Amino acid sequence: MKVAIVGCGNVSKNHFAAIENIPSVQIVATVDIIAERAQEKAEKYGAKAYTDFDEMLMAEKPECVHIATPHYLHTEMAIKALESGAHVFVEKPCSTSVEEADKLIDAMNRTGRQVGVCFQNRYNSSTITMKKLIDVELIGKMVALRAFVTWNRNADYYNDDWHGKKDKECGGVLINQAIHTVDLLQYFGGGCDSVTAHVFNDHLKGVIEVEDTATARLQLKNGVPAILYATTAYTADADVFIEAIMEKGTFRLEGERLLRINPNGFTEVLCEKSDNKFTGKSYWGHGHPAIIRDFYDCINTNRKFTIDAAEGSKAPKIVAACYESSEKNIDIEVK
C-alpha cells in the first residue's frame, strides 16, 4: 500500500516508526512546508519530498495519507485526501469545531474510505483493561470519575508558527494535550451529554493566545459526572491520572499503570508500565504502533476501524462545548 505522510514535525516520528514495521506499507511521499524536513524524511524512507499537499495527491495518488500537521489543517486535508480516493489516518484533533467534525464524518461516509483518528492511549493495556472491567461491572457500577493532566510547556515550546496561536492551534491545553484524557473520560462513561468548563492562562500571559489551564465538569451518558483538571503550567510532565470510583472499590489509572483499590484499602496492580522501546515521549503512552497497525489491518481485511471520524469526533466536540461554556459561563450540551 502506497502511503504519504503529511507534516514531518515532532509527532510524525511515531507514524514513521510504526509504518516501518508494517510489511505491506510503503512510504512513497513526505510533505512539509519546510522543504528540509520533508527531504530528510524522504531520504531516510526512500520516498519523494513535497512542499505542496495538493501536488503530492495528484502526482503520487497515495492509497493512504497520514496527517500530522497543525490542527487547523486537519479536517481540510483529510477531506481532500478522502475525495482523492485515499484512506486517512489523522492526528488528534481530527477537527476543531462541530461543523468541521460533521463535514469530516460526511466525507468519510460519502467516499467509503476509512478514517482513523490517533487516540493511541485507547490501545494502552491499562486502558483496555480498565474499560473492560468497568463495562462488566466487576466491582459494581461507576459512582464518580475524575482526571488530572499536569504537564509542562514553557515559552520555547511556542517558538514555531502555530503553537499558542488561536487561529492555528485553535486552543491550548484542552484541544492539544488533554484531549486524549477527554476522550478516555467519555469512553469510560459511554459518551458525554453536557459540559461546564472554565479555561484561563496561569503561566504564559502575553506569550500565548490560548489557555494553559482548564477545568471541566462533564455529565456523562452513564449518569455520572466526570471532573477534569488540565494544565501545562506544572514544572514536570507527570503521568495522566484517571480515577473511577465504583460501588465496591476504585480503579486508578496512572499513565500505563492500573490499580484496583478495594474498600479495605488493599491495592492490587492490574497493569504495569510498558518497558517497550518508544519513539516519542513516554507520557504519550506506547499505543502508536498498535493503533496504526490495527488501522492497516482494518483496511486490509475490510473491517471498520473503531476510532473513525464519528468516534474520533466525540472528544473534539466535547472540547468545543468546553470552550463555548467558558466563553458564555453556562452549561453547554455536546452536539
Side-chain angles (χ1 to χ4, degrees), residues 165-315:
K165 307 292 191 300
K166 195 169 185 179
D167 63 338
K168 293 183 178 179
E169 191 175 16
C170 305
V173 65
L174 262 183
I175 202 166
N176 195 340
Q177 290 81 20
I179 193 168
H180 289 286
T181 307
V182 171
D183 178 63
L184 292 183
L185 290 176
Q186 69 85 22
Y187 183 51
F188 292 144
C192 179
D193 285 327
S194 64
V195 300
T196 301
H198 306 278
V199 304
F200 35 92
N201 193 321
D202 277 344
H203 177 49
L204 294 172
K205 295 179 179 69
V207 177
I208 59 176
E209 302 170 359
V210 297
E211 85 283 353
D212 64 21
T213 304
T215 64
R217 183 183 189 275
L218 287 65
Q219 187 61 45
L220 302 175
K221 288 190 179 296
N222 66 358
V224 173
I227 300 299
L228 170 69
Y229 174 81
T231 186
T232 51
Y234 195 47
T235 54
D237 294 310
D239 286 336
V240 171
F241 175 102
I242 302 178
E243 181 182 76
I245 298 177
M246 314 299 286
E247 291 174 314
K248 302 172 186 177
T250 298
F251 294 121
R252 183 172 294 166
L253 190 155
E254 300 171 357
E256 294 188 76
R257 190 168 189 251
L258 178 62
L259 307 176
R260 172 184 169 179
I261 304 169
N262 295 323
N264 63 7
F266 176 76
T267 299
E268 178 184 1
V269 179
L270 301 180
C271 290
E272 278 288 8
K273 290 185 178 181
S274 171
D275 57 1
N276 294 337
K277 183 180 178 182
F278 185 59
T279 306
K281 299 171 182 175
S282 61
Y283 55 91
W284 285 353
H286 288 73
H288 279 95
I291 190 173
I292 292 173
R293 186 168 57 248
D294 188 35
F295 180 66
Y296 282 101
D297 185 60
C298 286
I299 293 172
N300 291 329
T301 60
N302 201 29
R303 176 168 55 92
K304 185 178 183 293
F305 186 67
T306 304
I307 314 174
D308 63 1
E311 182 67 18
S313 288
K314 289 180 179 179

Side-chain angles (χ1 to χ4, degrees), residues 5-19 27 30-32 37-38 41 45 66-69 91 279-280 284 288 292:
I5 296 185
V6 186
C8 297
N10 193 37
V11 75
S12 71
K13 67 180 71 171
N14 303 296
H15 296 252
F16 283 106
I19 289 173
I27 300 171
T30 60
V31 186
D32 200 288
R37 286 204 307 207
K41 295 295 186 184
Y45 293 96
H66 283 238
I67 298 173
T69 55
E91 268 294 335
T279 306
W284 285 353
H288 279 95
I292 292 173

Side-chain angles (χ1 to χ4, degrees), residues 64-95:
C64 185
V65 174
H66 283 238
I67 298 173
T69 55
H71 298 167
Y72 75 107
L73 295 170
H74 286 183
T75 302
E76 177 188 348
M77 286 184 162
I79 291 174
K80 281 185 177 181
L82 289 168
E83 290 178 341
S84 77
H87 303 287
V88 170
F89 189 81
V90 59
E91 268 294 335
K92 56 74 191 170
C94 59
S95 300

Side-chain angles (χ1 to χ4, degrees), residues 152-160 163 204 207:
N152 172 260
R153 296 293 183 272
N154 287 320
D156 57 357
Y157 175 78
Y158 300 95
N159 282 339
D160 58 22
H163 283 107
L204 294 172
V207 177

